[in-house]
Amino acid sequence: MARGFELDSRVAFAATRVLLALSLLDYNLRIIAPRLDQTFGVESMVTLELVSAYTFSPLFWLWDSPLALRLVFAVYLVALVCLGAGFYARLAHLVALPLAVALHHASPDVIHGPQQRQSLRLWVLLFVPIEQQWKIRKTPFLKSLERGCYDFRRWVAVLGSAYVSSYYLFAGLKKLPDPAWLEGRALYLLVHWTPLRLETDVAELLRSSPGLSMAATYLALGFELLFAPLACTRFRLVLPILGLIFHITIGFTLDVGHFLTALLAWYPFLMAERRSPAASEFSPGH
């Protein structure tokens, strides 16, 4: 695979920052915002007495104030916009991270699984420079943080690749004991299952063709099991393309929520260059 397909690590981390912000904005604006009062506060589906018995969030102090909770949520959304736009991105990141954690712990039974991976990536961004590319204005008083994490960028790219690879690997391994996957019947069953059913042309094609659904079942299983081995080779650079096709196809086949954007935002780690870091490349200016 030509090295030209690799991304400069500064571009890769900027892409991760933008994709992460867009994914979180998409989820929070479309899923959480319309149900904000049912997710947090006295009208929420999870009572404070129940959730506070096994977790803690600073938002519990604001539980009786819908206005305060809405203000916190609005600040979080503004921080995500600034993070994605590259406008004081590091400051926005340091605001968004604790708010994301606080929001999650305030309603852990409501926040969906993909968003936990998004919160993890917010933590990962602490260790890479995110203001070197695709920015409007840098955070002047946090340049030392950007410079301090610059030398870690190679290893963060490797570890980020390892994380997303292990996610696919374990997703595939846990399917192996299921006879439906081994016999190629899994997708045929899933496209008929009411909680995941979609009325699309792709889904209808799989419902009407057991043979095609069997082939798709084995392709999906093979993709998940082979992702990690391929990520250890130069073919890792084509995995984002295959992954994009894989998740878009699933999106037209099954109602699996926001896993598409949650996982795609990890892909720039796969494409980041692996050469040794050079501090001289760090750009401290605006």
Side-chain angles (χ1 to χ4, degrees), residues 86-166:
F87 184 72
Y88 293 102
R90 179 60 74 182
L91 176 61
H93 170 239
L94 294 179
V95 172
L97 175 56
L99 290 180
V101 174
L103 288 165
H104 172 71
H105 281 276
S107 195
D109 296 323
V110 175
I111 303 299
H112 300 134
Q115 307 323 118
Q116 299 177 35
R117 290 163 185 81
Q118 306 295 52
S119 295
L120 173 61
R121 193 156 58 257
L122 281 171
W123 284 102
V124 171
L125 291 186
L126 282 173
F127 303 99
V128 294
I130 60 174
E131 292 190 325
Q132 296 303 296
Q133 298 287 332
W134 302 358
K135 79 281 187 181
I136 297 174
R137 187 172 181 82
K138 293 184 179 182
T139 310
F141 52 88
L142 292 175
K143 291 177 185 177
S144 59
L145 178 58
E146 281 282 288
R147 182 182 293 276
C149 68
Y150 195 69
D151 290 339
F152 293 106
R153 74 189 197 278
R154 179 188 181 192
W155 295 110
V156 172
V158 172
L159 292 174
S161 299
Y163 172 80
V164 69
S165 300
S166 64

Side-chain angles (χ1 to χ4, degrees), residues 38-61:
Q38 289 76 44
T39 305
F40 308 106
V42 292
E43 298 180 12
S44 67
M45 295 178 284
V46 181
T47 65
L48 181 59
E49 293 75 14
L50 175 62
V51 71
S52 63
Y54 62 93
T55 188
F56 170 76
S57 171
L59 296 187
F60 292 163
W61 298 329

Side-chain angles (χ1 to χ4, degrees), residues 248-274:
I248 289 178
T249 303
I250 290 178
F252 281 102
T253 306
L254 300 169
D255 183 8
V256 294
H258 291 254
F259 275 97
L260 168 63
T261 54
L263 287 171
L264 289 185
W266 286 90
Y267 282 6
F269 288 119
L270 291 162
M271 303 186 71
E273 61 190 354
R274 297 291 193 259

